[in-house]
Amino acid sequence: MANKIKKGDEVVVIAGDHKGSKGKILQVLRNKNRVIVEGVNMIKKHEKKTQDNPQGAIVEREASLHFSNVKKADLKKS
């Protein structure tokens, strides 16, 4: 990864449907060149019925983005 993004960094999405969104990196998937950004690219996931969750559920969670679509946010404000 050329831009040295790591978990916990504050980033801005620079391309795609979520362009302009800011968030913190929750996870870096290095083998797939993707990142998961907090609150960005939300998807609905259907969960099966289990003993813990007898009804099943539809949960919203973050999907991954390609790392080339994000850049580190400027912490300096001029």
Side-chain angles (χ1 to χ4, degrees):
M1 293 176 136
N3 50 4
K4 306 287 191 241
I5 294 174
K6 59 185 184 286
K7 183 178 176 179
D9 285 351
E10 193 73 26
V11 294
V12 178
V13 180
I14 58 172
D17 293 340
H18 304 283
K19 184 176 181 176
S21 301
K22 288 184 182 178
K24 190 191 305 186
I25 299 236
L26 298 176
Q27 190 176 5
V28 177
L29 308 168
R30 293 207 184 273
N31 56 344
K32 294 182 180 179
N33 293 328
R34 298 181 80 79
V35 293
I36 298 176
V37 182
E38 183 178 34
V40 178
N41 201 20
M42 300 299 283
I43 58 168
K44 290 186 189 289
K45 182 139 175 80
H46 294 257
E47 288 196 347
K48 234 178 182 177
K49 296 177 184 178
T50 61
Q51 279 188 324
D52 295 337
N53 192 0
Q55 290 294 315
I58 300 173
V59 250
E60 254 194 301
R61 56 188 291 190
E62 293 91 356
S64 64
L65 297 165
H66 196 267
F67 76 93
S68 66
N69 292 337
V70 298
K71 71 172 185 176
K72 281 190 180 181
D74 263 348
L75 298 178
K76 296 181 267 179
K77 294 194 178 181
S78 303

